[in-house]
Amino acid sequence: MKLPKEILLSDLLKYNVKGNLSLNYGHGENVWMHPPVHRILGWYSRPSNFDLKRNVWRLNQINQIIDNEIYIKGDPAISDLATLNRFPTLIEANLININNSRIGVIADFLFEIKTGKIKYYLVSRSNPKIPGSSRWKLNIDNINDQQPGLVFCEVNSLDDLYLIKSSIKNEFFQKGRKIIERFDDMKNVASNRLEDWLEEDEDINQNLDFKQKSFYNNNRTSRSFSEKKEDDPWI
């Protein structure tokens, strides 16, 4: 099976690592990366929940990906979690805005499998481990500086970034906002139509208010009953 050109780190860690002779090395646990140049070097997997050792893999060891398993070539480097925790990483680093305030957490990134080059990062507003939480796209060009556990960017808030994945809560608020805006539009249309109807009704009433000297009574003059009696041959 042909390898994808790009893949999310979270998707890579979901795969169960299989070696030669169908050896099972467990699921991916975390990334091995070089933050200064925004490049991933590899990842490591955990054989079992009771095993203290970790299997470290390079990207060029990936042979193929089939279903939920990733097949590798060669043997892993053996290490322990205490050593790997000292490796620099930007995953779960706090994102700091131009005002030196925390606005999110680096939760994931998209990278090229062949080169390991990171294309962009994904930011979570709070705990990235919460299922279904929102993700915002952070481009490499938006990053000004980085330190262990900290990433400094030139944006003010997450609203300045492109929303890639919306949470259920955020979608609910967005739909609620659209409903309110639609209701306001309907209310404004109804109000404008009512005003137009009242103006038309006022014009009609003005046209019905005839003056004493109009087309219908311009030539009429009031006469007394005696004058009418003399002119009327039937009286």
Side-chain angles (χ1 to χ4, degrees), residues 122-153:
L122 295 179
V123 180
S124 172
R125 187 184 299 276
S126 54
N127 186 356
K129 296 181 180 179
I130 298 177
S133 55
S134 299
R135 296 288 185 269
W136 285 266
K137 179 181 178 181
L138 177 67
N139 291 318
I140 305 297
D141 296 338
N142 294 131
I143 298 176
N144 292 331
D145 194 10
Q146 55 202 28
Q147 299 175 9
L150 297 173
V151 174
F152 299 87
C153 64

Coordinates of all heavy atoms in Angstrom, one line a residue, residues 122-153:
L122 N -1.5 22.3 15.0 CA -2.9 22.4 15.4 C -3.0 22.8 16.8 O -2.3 22.2 17.7 CB -3.7 21.1 15.1 CG -3.8 20.7 13.7 CD1 -4.5 19.4 13.6 CD2 -4.5 21.8 12.9
V123 N -3.8 23.8 17.1 CA -3.9 24.4 18.5 C -5.2 24.0 19.1 O -6.3 24.1 18.5 CB -3.7 25.9 18.5 CG1 -3.7 26.5 19.9 CG2 -2.3 26.2 17.8
S124 N -5.2 23.7 20.4 CA -6.4 23.5 21.2 C -6.5 24.6 22.2 O -5.6 25.1 22.7 CB -6.3 22.1 21.9 OG -7.4 22.0 22.8
R125 N -7.8 25.0 22.5 CA -8.0 26.1 23.4 C -7.6 25.6 24.9 O -7.1 26.4 25.6 CB -9.5 26.5 23.4 CG -9.7 27.7 24.2 CD -11.2 28.1 24.2 NE -11.7 28.4 22.9 CZ -11.6 29.6 22.3 NH1 -11.0 30.6 22.9 NH2 -12.1 29.7 21.1
S126 N -7.9 24.4 25.2 CA -7.6 23.9 26.6 C -6.9 22.6 26.5 O -6.0 22.4 25.7 CB -8.9 23.8 27.4 OG -9.9 23.0 26.8
N127 N -7.4 21.6 27.2 CA -6.7 20.3 27.3 C -6.9 19.6 25.9 O -8.0 19.3 25.5 CB -7.3 19.5 28.4 CG -6.6 18.1 28.6 OD1 -5.7 17.8 27.9 ND2 -7.0 17.4 29.6
P128 N -5.8 19.3 25.2 CA -5.9 18.7 23.9 C -6.4 17.2 24.0 O -6.8 16.7 22.9 CB -4.5 18.8 23.3 CG -3.6 18.8 24.5 CD -4.4 19.6 25.6
K129 N -6.4 16.6 25.1 CA -6.8 15.2 25.3 C -8.3 15.1 25.4 O -8.8 14.0 25.4 CB -6.1 14.6 26.5 CG -4.6 14.5 26.3 CD -4.0 13.9 27.5 CE -2.5 13.8 27.4 NZ -1.8 13.2 28.6
I130 N -9.0 16.2 25.5 CA -10.5 16.1 25.6 C -11.0 15.7 24.2 O -10.7 16.4 23.2 CB -11.1 17.5 26.0 CG1 -10.6 17.9 27.4 CG2 -12.6 17.5 25.9 CD1 -11.1 19.2 27.9
P131 N -11.8 14.7 24.1 CA -12.3 14.2 22.8 C -13.2 15.3 22.1 O -14.1 15.9 22.8 CB -13.1 12.9 23.1 CG -12.6 12.5 24.5 CD -12.2 13.8 25.2
G132 N -13.0 15.5 20.8 CA -13.9 16.4 20.1 C -13.7 17.8 20.3 O -14.5 18.6 19.9
S133 N -12.5 18.2 20.9 CA -12.3 19.6 21.1 C -11.8 20.3 19.8 O -11.4 19.6 18.9 CB -11.2 19.8 22.2 OG -10.0 19.1 21.8
S134 N -12.0 21.6 19.7 CA -11.7 22.3 18.5 C -10.2 22.4 18.2 O -9.4 22.3 19.1 CB -12.2 23.8 18.6 OG -13.6 23.8 18.8
R135 N -9.9 22.6 16.9 CA -8.5 22.7 16.5 C -8.3 23.9 15.6 O -9.1 24.1 14.6 CB -8.0 21.5 15.8 CG -8.0 20.2 16.6 CD -6.9 20.3 17.7 NE -6.8 19.0 18.4 CZ -7.4 18.8 19.6 NH1 -8.2 19.7 20.1 NH2 -7.2 17.7 20.2
W136 N -7.3 24.8 15.8 CA -7.0 25.9 15.0 C -5.7 25.7 14.3 O -4.8 25.1 14.9 CB -7.0 27.2 15.8 CG -8.3 27.7 16.2 CD1 -9.1 28.6 15.6 CD2 -9.1 27.3 17.4 NE1 -10.3 28.9 16.3 CE2 -10.3 28.1 17.4 CE3 -8.9 26.4 18.4 CZ2 -11.3 27.9 18.3 CZ3 -9.9 26.3 19.4 CH2 -11.0 27.0 19.4
K137 N -5.6 26.2 13.1 CA -4.3 26.0 12.3 C -3.3 27.1 12.6 O -3.6 28.3 12.5 CB -4.7 26.0 10.8 CG -3.5 25.8 9.9 CD -3.9 25.9 8.5 CE -2.7 25.8 7.5 NZ -3.2 25.8 6.1
L138 N -2.1 26.7 13.1 CA -1.0 27.7 13.3 C 0.1 27.4 12.3 O 0.8 26.4 12.3 CB -0.5 27.5 14.8 CG 0.7 28.4 15.1 CD1 0.3 29.8 15.2 CD2 1.3 27.9 16.5
N139 N 0.2 28.4 11.4 CA 1.3 28.3 10.4 C 2.7 28.5 11.0 O 2.8 29.2 12.0 CB 1.0 29.3 9.3 CG -0.2 28.9 8.4 OD1 -0.4 27.8 8.1 ND2 -1.0 29.9 8.1
I140 N 3.7 28.0 10.4 CA 5.1 28.1 10.9 C 5.4 29.6 10.8 O 6.1 30.1 11.7 CB 6.0 27.3 10.0 CG1 5.6 25.8 10.0 CG2 7.5 27.5 10.5 CD1 5.7 25.2 11.3
D141 N 4.9 30.4 9.9 CA 5.3 31.8 9.7 C 4.7 32.6 10.9 O 5.2 33.7 11.1 CB 4.7 32.3 8.4 CG 5.4 31.7 7.2 OD1 6.5 31.1 7.4 OD2 4.8 31.7 6.1
N142 N 3.7 32.1 11.6 CA 3.1 32.8 12.7 C 3.9 32.7 14.0 O 3.6 33.4 15.0 CB 1.7 32.3 13.0 CG 0.7 32.7 11.8 OD1 0.0 31.8 11.3 ND2 0.8 33.9 11.3
I143 N 4.9 31.8 14.0 CA 5.7 31.6 15.2 C 6.9 32.5 15.2 O 7.7 32.5 14.3 CB 6.2 30.1 15.3 CG1 4.9 29.2 15.3 CG2 7.1 29.9 16.5 CD1 5.3 27.7 15.3
N144 N 7.0 33.2 16.3 CA 8.1 34.2 16.5 C 9.3 33.5 17.2 O 10.5 33.8 16.9 CB 7.7 35.4 17.3 CG 6.7 36.3 16.5 OD1 6.7 36.3 15.3 ND2 5.8 36.9 17.2
D145 N 9.0 32.7 18.3 CA 10.1 32.2 19.1 C 9.5 30.9 19.8 O 8.3 30.7 19.8 CB 10.5 33.2 20.1 CG 11.8 32.7 20.8 OD1 12.5 31.8 20.3 OD2 12.2 33.4 21.8
Q146 N 10.4 30.1 20.3 CA 9.9 28.9 21.1 C 11.0 28.6 22.1 O 12.2 28.8 22.0 CB 9.8 27.8 20.1 CG 11.0 27.4 19.3 CD 10.6 26.7 18.0 OE1 9.5 26.8 17.5 NE2 11.6 25.9 17.5
Q147 N 10.4 28.1 23.2 CA 11.2 27.7 24.4 C 10.6 26.4 24.9 O 9.5 26.0 24.5 CB 11.2 28.7 25.5 CG 11.8 30.0 25.1 CD 11.7 31.1 26.2 OE1 11.3 30.8 27.3 NE2 12.0 32.3 25.9
P148 N 11.3 25.6 25.7 CA 10.7 24.4 26.2 C 9.4 24.7 26.9 O 9.3 25.4 27.9 CB 11.8 23.9 27.2 CG 13.1 24.4 26.7 CD 12.7 25.8 26.1
G149 N 8.4 24.1 26.3 CA 7.0 24.3 26.9 C 6.3 25.5 26.5 O 5.2 25.8 26.9
L150 N 6.9 26.4 25.6 CA 6.3 27.6 25.2 C 6.5 27.9 23.7 O 7.6 27.7 23.2 CB 6.9 28.8 26.0 CG 6.7 28.8 27.5 CD1 7.5 30.0 28.1 CD2 5.3 29.0 27.9
V151 N 5.5 28.4 23.1 CA 5.6 28.8 21.7 C 5.0 30.2 21.6 O 3.8 30.4 22.0 CB 4.8 27.8 20.8 CG1 4.8 28.3 19.3 CG2 5.4 26.4 20.8
F152 N 5.8 31.1 21.1 CA 5.3 32.5 21.0 C 4.9 32.8 19.5 O 5.6 32.5 18.6 CB 6.5 33.5 21.3 CG 6.9 33.3 22.8 CD1 7.9 32.3 23.1 CD2 6.4 34.0 23.8 CE1 8.4 32.2 24.4 CE2 6.8 33.9 25.1 CZ 7.8 32.9 25.4
C153 N 3.7 33.4 19.4 CA 3.2 33.7 18.0 C 2.8 35.2 17.9 O 2.8 35.9 18.9 CB 2.0 32.8 17.7 SG 0.6 33.1 18.8

